[in-house]
Amino acid sequence: MTRAAVARPTSHEAGFTLVELLVAMTLLGFVSILLFGGLRLGTRVWERTETGFQGDRALHGVEEAIADAVGHAYPRLIHRSATTSEIAFSGSPSSIALTAQTGDAGVAEVVITADQGAGSLTVASRSEISGATAATTTVFAGVASATFSYFGTTAGDNEPRWHDTWQSQRALPRLVRIVVRMRDGRQTPLDLTIAPRIQAPMDCVFDVLTDNCQGHG
């Protein structure tokens, strides 16, 4: 009698060896790490982009609010005595107090203040129609420095120039510049040069040569 032949599996039927499985699992792990890392990177980029957009929108809103208040400065004439008067606008290197026209045909008292000790830039506004207490909003925190300057002609000037202060004048400054820098070293978030739209009070006799009020109508 002949011994029956023993069937041996061919190489195609033998399956994966342990080494092949380990190699495949290692490659799968590398691919998973790459995919997960790419997903995390994409998420961080999206978050930073979204944060940047939100910051830009907030900064744009601050710029619009300040530019609107200064741009609508109303040159109300305050009579200090029977012979002296001045515009209701007081500017220093760190603050501006003015009367601004509002959208409801009224006026509001606006004060923009940079407190470098507290590291803040605030805007306080009080409508004269409502007579309510001034509402103060902190528009920037972490301020390293803020400078206010004013361009125009004051007594003794032969031509318009930049001033650190604008006090007790008969006209609004032609330009107001506000520059704010932050403590964390970020790029200057605010550098505005604003031109008040009205340069003389409604009841003044305006002298175009001196660009000032010379009396009342």
Side-chain angles (χ1 to χ4, degrees):
M1 295 181 61
T2 61
R3 183 176 299 178
V6 178
R8 297 182 179 276
T10 64
S11 59
H12 296 290
E13 298 174 346
F16 294 105
T17 64
L18 179 60
V19 174
E20 290 172 334
L21 287 174
L22 290 175
V23 171
M25 292 178 66
T26 301
L27 291 175
L28 181 61
F30 283 144
V31 172
S32 299
I33 291 173
L34 291 175
L35 290 175
F36 183 70
L39 179 62
R40 289 188 61 187
L41 177 61
T43 301
R44 287 198 299 269
V45 170
W46 181 84
E47 289 175 348
R48 290 178 181 175
T49 303
E50 182 66 18
T51 301
F53 284 153
Q54 292 176 356
D56 290 342
R57 286 195 295 268
L59 176 58
H60 184 65
V62 170
E63 291 177 344
E64 281 192 338
I66 293 177
D68 186 65
V70 177
H72 286 87
Y74 180 72
R76 176 192 298 173
L77 204 59
I78 301 174
H79 301 282
R80 298 300 185 190
S81 68
T83 57
T84 60
S85 57
E86 62 189 51
I87 292 293
F89 184 102
S90 177
S92 75
S94 60
S95 68
I96 303 173
L98 57 89
T99 299
Q101 291 179 313
T102 60
D104 55 3
V107 293
E109 296 176 358
V110 179
V111 179
I112 305 170
T113 305
D115 186 342
Q116 297 188 25
S120 64
L121 181 73
T122 61
V123 177
S125 177
R126 183 181 70 85
S127 172
E128 291 193 350
I129 294 179
S130 65
T133 303
T136 302
T137 302
T138 300
V139 295
F140 282 116
V143 172
S145 66
T147 56
F148 298 66
S149 52
Y150 315 89
F151 183 80
T153 305
T154 62
D157 291 337
N158 295 323
E159 59 185 20
R161 65 182 181 88
W162 285 102
H163 299 266
D164 293 332
T165 62
W166 195 270
Q167 307 280 348
S168 304
Q169 298 299 316
R170 298 274 301 180
L172 294 170
R174 294 184 181 183
L175 298 172
V176 176
R177 188 181 183 192
I178 302 174
V179 181
V180 177
R181 294 181 175 83
M182 307 303 288
R183 288 176 175 172
D184 58 9
R186 283 182 295 164
Q187 185 178 5
T188 302
L190 196 66
D191 190 343
L192 293 177
T193 300
I194 311 156
R197 296 178 179 85
I198 302 175
Q199 291 295 328
M202 302 301 294
D203 61 346
C204 87
V205 177
F206 190 70
D207 186 344
V208 295
L209 295 178
T210 62
D211 197 21
N212 283 319
C213 270
Q214 300 300 321
H216 313 283

